[in-house]
Amino acid sequence: MALLPIIIAPDPRLKVKCDPVENVDDGVRTLMDDMLVTMYAAPGLGLAAPQVGVQKRILVADVSKDENLRDPKCLINPEITWASEELFEYEEGCLSLPDHFAEISRPERVRISYLDRDGKSAKLEADGVLAVCIQHEMDHLDGILFVDYLSKLKRNVILRKLRKLKKQNPEKAVGA
Ligand code: GNR
Ligand code: NI
């Protein structure tokens, strides 16, 4: 079990389209375990592989409120097979955009197909915060951050602040 460093924006590694996993092997399972440890330690509701420097279509999430009742989800090669017309607005944060938050609208309910930890195909229907979180993580797999839904002005204000923080605090900025 390893704590992985989380990449902070702006960083080109957060802007790439990740590759599908071809084989769900022990390397993938170890990565997901490390991602869960890292997510719980942060703490965060989800984490996508590119946030820890791995360009693969893997995400983990756990939106349970009680840490004694953990409900970790590990999704490999996730795809949205259906999304509701109804939208849900939620204040989003991101471990790669520390201390910045914004209201984002997304479909309220989604159905996802994915591979589970054993490499078997599985399906999941999510709503509320889990639906938000999975869609946020799936965006990371395509190089999309929540600031990409904001106006160019708001996005640049946030990214400029983060860039400045990295310059002042390079040891905290992974890969800077
Ligand atoms: O910890 C997180 N909280 C959160 C809150 C609202 C919407 C999405 C999220 S995901 C985020 C962790 C993260 O950055 N995942 O990529
Ligand atoms: Ni995020």
Side-chain angles (χ1 to χ4, degrees), residues 32-41 60-61 72-74 117:
M32 291 189 297
D33 289 340
D34 291 345
M35 285 169 63
L36 281 168
V37 169
T38 304
M39 178 191 81
Y40 288 125
V60 298
K73 304 250 189 296
C74 295
R117 294 176 60 95

Side-chain angles (χ1 to χ4, degrees), residues 2-145:
L3 261 186
L4 307 171
I6 295 173
I7 296 170
I8 307 299
D11 190 299
R13 291 169 293 178
L14 296 173
K15 301 306 298 170
V16 298
K17 188 172 165 70
C18 296
D19 303 316
V21 173
E22 304 217 340
N23 282 307
V24 180
D25 55 18
D26 286 344
V28 168
R29 282 184 281 272
T30 300
L31 171 65
M32 291 189 297
D33 289 340
D34 291 345
M35 285 169 63
L36 281 168
V37 169
T38 304
M39 178 191 81
Y40 288 125
L45 302 180
L47 191 67
Q51 293 179 279
V52 295
V54 177
Q55 219 180 105
K56 287 192 186 143
R57 305 189 75 78
I58 298 171
L59 67 87
V60 298
D62 188 343
V63 300
S64 61
K65 292 199 184 76
D66 184 344
E67 67 175 272
N68 298 311
L69 294 173
R70 282 182 172 175
D71 183 21
K73 304 250 189 296
C74 295
L75 279 61
I76 301 162
N77 300 345
E79 286 182 36
I80 293 181
T81 58
W82 173 83
S84 66
E85 301 275 331
E86 300 77 44
L87 303 180
F88 179 63
E89 196 179 64
Y90 194 73
E91 183 172 71
E92 298 199 15
C94 181
L95 295 171
S96 296
L97 300 160
D99 304 321
H100 293 278
F101 303 89
E103 297 275 344
I104 306 291
S105 277
R106 301 180 186 272
E108 180 174 37
R109 297 180 80 85
V110 286
R111 290 191 197 122
I112 317 281
S113 68
Y114 62 98
L115 299 179
D116 68 15
R117 294 176 60 95
D118 301 316
K120 283 195 313 194
S121 11
K123 286 183 171 62
L124 170 72
E125 180 159 332
D127 63 7
V129 181
L130 181 60
V132 169
C133 191
I134 289 177
Q135 292 176 81
H136 172 117
E137 303 315 333
M138 287 183 66
D139 274 353
H140 276 297
L141 306 183
D142 289 324
I144 297 166
L145 302 173

